[in-house]
């Protein structure tokens, strides 16, 4: 199905997606939907395919079977040009921040605009400054990545993901490597961006406090499939045996 772009379709839809690497089956009938304005968290054991799932949503990976639709369009059927247009509508926050070490904070944030748009330098500078303000680091432009903390690198990564005004943001473990206090400030920022900008988000994370702060729903990925999907209160109180085992609450 390669439905044309429309407003009623979910922002992301995975339908019965299968993906293997060699002999290793990672996704085996994975389905999920992300509605407009919603934040869905994906949780699951390490190595289960959470990052692989995000990479399907950006079109870095394509399914062996099944389909991945983003903005109502099947991503594996998109032309290179269509894919580039789709990617302008998405922001991706990498686990390690993925800043370029020899570029200043401001130039890192400006990169997607310099690479993908014909905007004039004045306009680029103004947009970058607004994004730095949005993530609460208004004076960081001239700093180099080696001079800033892990929490600030995350903020810069988020500012860069926001620079093209995306409708959809994908976060890969936004709390990884952060102490609890800084993690809380990042989670509050993610929530604030959802509320202020109305973006849809997919958040891969295993920190419970993060999920409680940011997620409308939580999906547990295991064995290549969505095992449970529920609102956070329901999810964390669930008596589902797989979740009980994951959280160490089983009596066995
Ligand atoms: N491009 C790739 N080529 C081969 N194997 C991969 C590739 N990407 C991921 N994998 C494998 O898929 C599995 C799931 O990876 P990943 O999605 O990164 O796990 P996680 O749930 O921890 O994010 C891992 O075993 C990983 O080694
Ligand atoms: Mg991962």
């Amino acid at each position: 199905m390669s439905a044309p772009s429309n407003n009623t379709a979910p922002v992301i839809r995975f339908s019965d997606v299968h993906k293997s690497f060699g002999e290793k089956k990672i996704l085996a009938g994975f389905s999920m939907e992300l509605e407009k304005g919603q934040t869905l968290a994906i949780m699951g054991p390490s190595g289960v395919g959470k990052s692989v799932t995000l990479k399907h949503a950006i079109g870095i990976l394509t399914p062996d079977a099944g389909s991945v639709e983003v903005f109502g369009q099947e991503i594996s059927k998109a032309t290179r040009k269509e894919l580039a247009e789709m990617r302008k509508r998405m922001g991706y926050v990498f686990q390690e921040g993925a800043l370029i070490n020899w570029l200043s904070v401001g130039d890192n944030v400006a990169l997607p605009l310099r690479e993908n748009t014909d905007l004039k330098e004045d306009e680029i500078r103004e947009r970058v400054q607004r994004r730095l303000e949005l993530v609460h680091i208004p004076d960081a432009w001239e700093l180099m990545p080696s001079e800033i903390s892990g929490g600030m690198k995350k903020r810069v990564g988020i500012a860069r993901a926001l620079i093209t005004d995306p409708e959809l943001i994908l976060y890969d473990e936004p709390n990884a490597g952060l102490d609890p206090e800084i993690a809380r400030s990042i989670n509050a920022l993610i929530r604030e961006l959802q509320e202020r900008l109305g973006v849809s988000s997919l958040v891969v994370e295993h920190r419970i406090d993060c999920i409680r702060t940011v997620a409308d729903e939580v999906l547990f990925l295991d064995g290549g499939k969505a095992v449970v999907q529920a609102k956070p209160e329901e999810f964390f109180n669930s008596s589902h045996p797989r979740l009980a085992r994951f959280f160490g609450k089983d009596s066995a």
Side-chain angles (χ1 to χ4, degrees), residues 45-52 54-55 92 95 172-173 204:
S46 183
V48 82
K50 302 181 299 295
S51 297
V52 162
L54 290 186
K55 286 172 187 164
Y92 187 78
Q95 192 169 330
D172 201 349
E173 302 203 22
V204 164

Side-chain angles (χ1 to χ4, degrees), residues 51-114:
S51 297
V52 162
T53 302
L54 290 186
K55 286 172 187 164
H56 276 82
I58 336 171
I60 296 176
L61 293 174
T62 50
D64 300 332
S67 69
V68 176
E69 288 163 58
V70 179
F71 305 126
Q73 187 173 7
E74 190 170 337
I75 210 158
S76 62
K77 294 191 177 147
T79 63
R80 191 187 290 246
K81 191 159 172 266
E82 285 169 335
L83 189 59
E85 285 306 312
M86 287 161 93
R87 283 191 183 147
K88 277 188 205 165
R89 300 169 67 188
M90 331 180 184
Y92 187 78
V93 182
F94 295 91
Q95 192 169 330
E96 303 306 338
L99 301 183
I100 295 173
N101 283 327
W102 60 87
L103 293 180
S104 70
V105 161
D107 289 333
N108 264 283
V109 176
L111 203 60
L113 294 180
R114 295 202 169 122

